[in-house]
Amino acid sequence: MTSGKLPAALTRTLSGVELPPVPHATEGGILKARPPRHGREGRRFGFRPQKPRAPSGEPAWLLPFVLGAVLLLSVLPLARLAGAGVSGLVDGEAARLIFEPATFAALRNTLVTATGGMVVSLFLGSLFAFALALTDIRGKLILSFAFMLPMMIPPQVTALAWVEMSGPASPLLKTLGLAPPLGSPQPLYSLSGIALLLGVQHAPLVFLALKAGLAASPRDGIEAARLSGAGPFRVFRDIVLPLSAPGLIAGGAIAFVSGIGNFGIPAILGIPAGIETLPTLIFSRLASFGAATFGEIALISTLIAAISAAGLLVQQHALAGRDYRLIGHSGARAAFSLGRWRIALEALLVSLLALVLVAPLLALVASSLVPAYGVPLTFDTMSLSAYAEILFRQAITLTALKNSLFLASAAALGLLVVTVPAAYLLTRREGALANLLAILMEIPYALPGIVLAVAFILTFAAPLPVVGVSLYGTIWIILAAYFSSFLAVSLKPVMSAFTQMDPALEEAARLAGAGFFRRMRDVLLPLIAPAAGASVILVFLIAANELTVSALLWSAGTQTLGVAIFNLDDSGSSDLASALSVLVVLLVIALMAALEFFAKYLPEGVLPWRN
């Protein structure tokens, strides 16, 4: 009998199996069993023990690298903040601090303004979401792009623009002859004014949460109701509203949490009127530094985090026990054809955008062109001297511009070093560890910026171990906080690109002998380059205009654009603050336009106004 090879399938099946001892003939013709060989531990059993290993092609350093980055940027600062909060609870300082008149008033004001802002956000965001997702109005992309602008514009710029638009000293109203009599109060310096602007600032969050779900909802139920004779109002009430409940609840919760941690709007509108919220209370406590300052701001930050977590828990409770699964085919076709009402709805949406976006920005431009706040804009008073002062003569604003450009560029490019390996890891791995890493990366962005800033103050106030160097008071602590805060923003586009990529491309390169860095350079990076570019622009766009984090971390020489605008307005230089704000808005519009220009090269879901 001739020997032959086993079939390939059987060879694969028997791979790793130790066969029984095989008899063999000796010189005496007696069959004896060949003794088993135990050259390797575990070979004496029927199967070799399988050691847990990473997915094929994943380098051994990748998981420790991502874990180290997450621990440094997320776990360490938040653990330090939690430790300080628990220490305050144990010492009994929390009750004393919360029931102080100033703290109790700030807590009440925070809840009132955040709740009022949530109501305004729900009205504006749901109106635009329903109109753009379910009706046949024209110019949807332009309307969506314009409605997203308030979220991209820094909150302190939004507040400053509205102040310049209203009140008896408004240059725009004086020019139009519509200014109230001199001595009339500024209506925005109030709790209702703060709530209104919080609602305008965060309405795009409700819009995004609701519009995505409406665009994916099935049209079958709507068509069936129409065929049954139901009118548009009945269809909207009985079908559309129940299906939109998850988006409304999620959007409302996000708007509430964002209002809790907003610093720019309460600072511009509340401080002149003596109205404090929890974020501005932290700012004032840090400004009047004392022996107990760190402990007090840690407790107040823990209180803000607790209120934010309570808001998200209410959202989960509202959605629990309900089944929102959708059955049917979704489609892009509008569910409601408006007919003659289409022009009326388009006029309403354009009018709202003119009120909440165009008019404040025009007022900001008018204020930047007059020599002082309250002077009407005419050909005689019009001047570009504020822009010349900002760009060529003001050393502080030039320093702030350089710092913001450096921080935004360093954060946008430096985060790719973390997010590209992290996105690769999270898309190739499954299980509890990958889910935990994803959650830990999201938490710093979900937390109010004021809380994250306090966490970094507590973490880096003392000198670093071994090197003995302190980051507090330097530009590097702001950069580290930006890395933590915008990690999730940088991760999303890159992870979306990896998710949509066919893994067979990389597998073919791996089988051809290409190592990880070779595969990354020649195969993966060219494919994710558009998404990585979008990630850079998005992070740069947000970081260049950031105020809440840097308001607590800046020191002399490390001012950012957001801090410079706040300080100029606080010192009474409204023309300079307006001019710098106009430049910031132009930068925002230019970057958003650049993203829109390259939209066709980007993965779906990267640009929020195209969601």
Side-chain angles (χ1 to χ4, degrees):
M1 185 176 70
T2 60
S3 61
K5 293 183 178 180
L6 291 173
L10 183 58
T11 302
R12 287 194 297 269
T13 302
L14 294 177
S15 177
V17 179
E18 183 70 31
L19 297 177
V22 181
H24 65 285
T26 63
E27 291 181 353
I30 302 173
L31 292 176
K32 293 184 178 179
R34 188 188 302 273
R37 289 176 293 183
H38 307 301
R40 202 179 293 175
E41 184 180 358
R43 292 292 299 271
R44 67 187 70 187
F45 302 104
F47 296 91
R48 296 184 210 167
Q50 296 293 324
K51 297 181 180 179
R53 57 181 181 177
S56 58
E58 178 186 310
W61 57 266
L62 184 60
L63 180 59
F65 173 78
V66 175
L67 277 174
V70 171
L71 289 174
L72 184 62
L73 297 178
S74 177
V75 177
L76 180 62
L78 299 181
R80 183 68 182 86
L81 177 65
V86 171
S87 176
L89 291 174
V90 172
D91 296 339
E93 291 295 316
R96 180 195 60 80
L97 182 65
I98 291 174
F99 288 103
E100 281 184 1
T103 309
F104 191 77
L107 175 60
R108 183 190 64 243
N109 294 338
T110 301
L111 294 176
V112 169
T113 54
T115 304
M118 178 187 68
V119 173
V120 175
S121 295
L122 283 172
F123 171 73
L124 292 175
S126 59
L127 174 62
F128 274 81
F130 285 132
L132 296 182
L134 298 178
T135 68
D136 59 346
I137 62 172
R138 296 161 293 183
K140 291 185 177 183
L141 180 59
I142 296 176
L143 290 173
S144 181
F145 184 91
F147 189 71
M148 289 298 300
L149 266 176
M151 188 179 76
M152 299 297 181
I153 294 174
Q156 70 274 15
V157 172
T158 298
L160 183 60
W162 279 73
V163 168
E164 302 291 351
M165 183 186 70
S166 59
S170 168
L172 181 63
L173 294 183
K174 280 181 169 293
T175 303
L176 298 175
L178 301 175
L182 290 177
S184 300
Q186 167 58 263
L188 294 177
Y189 290 159
S190 61
L191 289 175
S192 57
I194 296 173
L196 173 64
L197 264 64
L198 288 178
V200 171
Q201 184 80 22
H202 302 139
L205 298 174
V206 178
F207 172 76
L208 292 178
L210 187 56
K211 181 172 176 284
L214 289 174
S217 62
R219 303 291 189 259
D220 302 357
I222 296 176
E223 295 297 333
R226 282 175 170 172
L227 293 175
S228 300
F233 178 76
R234 179 77 180 274
V235 171
F236 183 81
R237 184 192 67 185
D238 295 344
I239 296 178
V240 174
L241 277 182
L243 289 178
S244 62
L248 285 172
I249 294 173
I254 295 171
F256 176 80
V257 171
S258 300
I260 291 292
N262 191 293
F263 172 77
I265 291 173
I268 297 291
L269 302 183
I271 291 178
I275 299 173
E276 277 196 326
T277 61
L278 290 177
T280 58
L281 179 62
I282 291 177
F283 180 78
S284 62
R285 291 290 174 94
L286 193 63
S288 57
F289 191 82
T293 297
F294 280 163
E296 291 178 351
I297 64 175
L299 286 173
I300 299 174
S301 300
T302 305
L303 180 60
I304 295 176
I307 298 173
S308 302
L312 297 177
L313 288 176
V314 170
Q315 170 198 346
Q316 292 182 355
H317 178 72
L319 295 175
R322 305 186 186 186
D323 192 350
Y324 293 104
R325 288 174 292 180
L326 303 176
I327 301 175
H329 298 287
S330 61
R333 185 170 58 85
F336 296 97
S337 180
L338 299 177
R340 61 181 180 177
W341 293 101
R342 184 175 69 176
I343 296 178
L345 181 58
E346 290 171 350
L348 174 62
L349 298 181
V350 172
S351 300
L352 285 174
L353 284 175
L355 177 63
V356 303
L357 179 66
V358 179
L361 293 182
L362 287 178
L364 199 64
V365 173
S367 179
S368 69
L369 296 176
V370 296
Y373 183 56
V375 177
L377 179 64
T378 64
F379 286 108
D380 295 329
T381 59
M382 185 182 300
S383 171
L384 296 176
S385 60
Y387 292 95
E389 185 76 17
I390 287 293
L391 293 175
F392 304 113
R393 291 191 289 271
Q394 278 281 342
I396 294 178
T397 55
L398 289 177
T399 300
L401 178 62
K402 293 177 184 178
N403 289 338
S404 286
L405 292 178
F406 165 73
L407 289 169
S409 303
L413 296 173
L415 276 173
L416 287 180
V417 179
V418 178
T419 54
V420 170
Y424 177 90
L425 178 76
L426 294 178
T427 53
R428 296 300 189 269
R429 278 180 174 261
E430 295 180 357
L433 180 59
N435 294 334
L436 178 61
L437 287 174
I439 292 172
L440 290 175
M441 292 180 189
E442 292 279 354
I443 288 177
Y445 184 68
L447 283 175
I450 205 86
V451 175
L452 189 66
V454 172
F456 271 81
I457 290 175
L458 295 174
T459 304
F460 296 107
L464 295 175
V466 182
V467 293
V469 177
S470 176
L471 295 183
Y472 186 66
T474 70
I475 199 171
W476 305 111
I477 191 173
I478 303 178
L479 182 60
Y482 281 8
F483 265 69
S484 177
S485 181
F486 306 131
L487 180 61
V489 179
S490 177
L491 179 68
K492 182 182 176 182
V494 180
M495 192 167 178
S496 178
F498 273 119
T499 302
Q500 298 179 25
M501 187 185 303
D502 188 353
L505 297 173
E506 186 199 2
E507 187 64 18
R510 189 180 70 84
L511 293 176
F516 176 76
F517 289 104
R518 180 71 180 273
R519 298 196 307 273
M520 185 65 71
R521 185 192 67 188
D522 295 344
V523 178
L524 301 178
L525 287 182
L527 294 176
I528 67 169
S535 168
V536 170
I537 296 179
L538 282 174
V539 174
F540 185 92
L541 178 66
I542 300 173
N545 305 314
E546 195 280 329
L547 170 65
T548 307
V549 173
S550 55
L552 294 188
L553 300 178
W554 75 279
S555 59
T558 64
Q559 299 96 328
T560 61
L561 283 175
V563 173
I565 292 172
F566 174 72
N567 288 340
L568 286 172
D569 179 70
D570 191 49
S571 63
S573 303
S574 61
D575 56 336
L576 300 183
S578 299
L580 187 56
S581 298
V582 170
L583 296 178
V584 168
V585 172
L586 291 177
L587 176 64
V588 169
I589 295 175
L591 291 175
M592 290 179 65
L595 285 173
E596 178 60 34
F597 180 78
F598 293 104
K600 61 182 178 180
Y601 303 108
L602 303 176
E604 291 186 11
V606 170
L607 302 183
W609 56 89
R610 281 181 167 264
N611 190 345

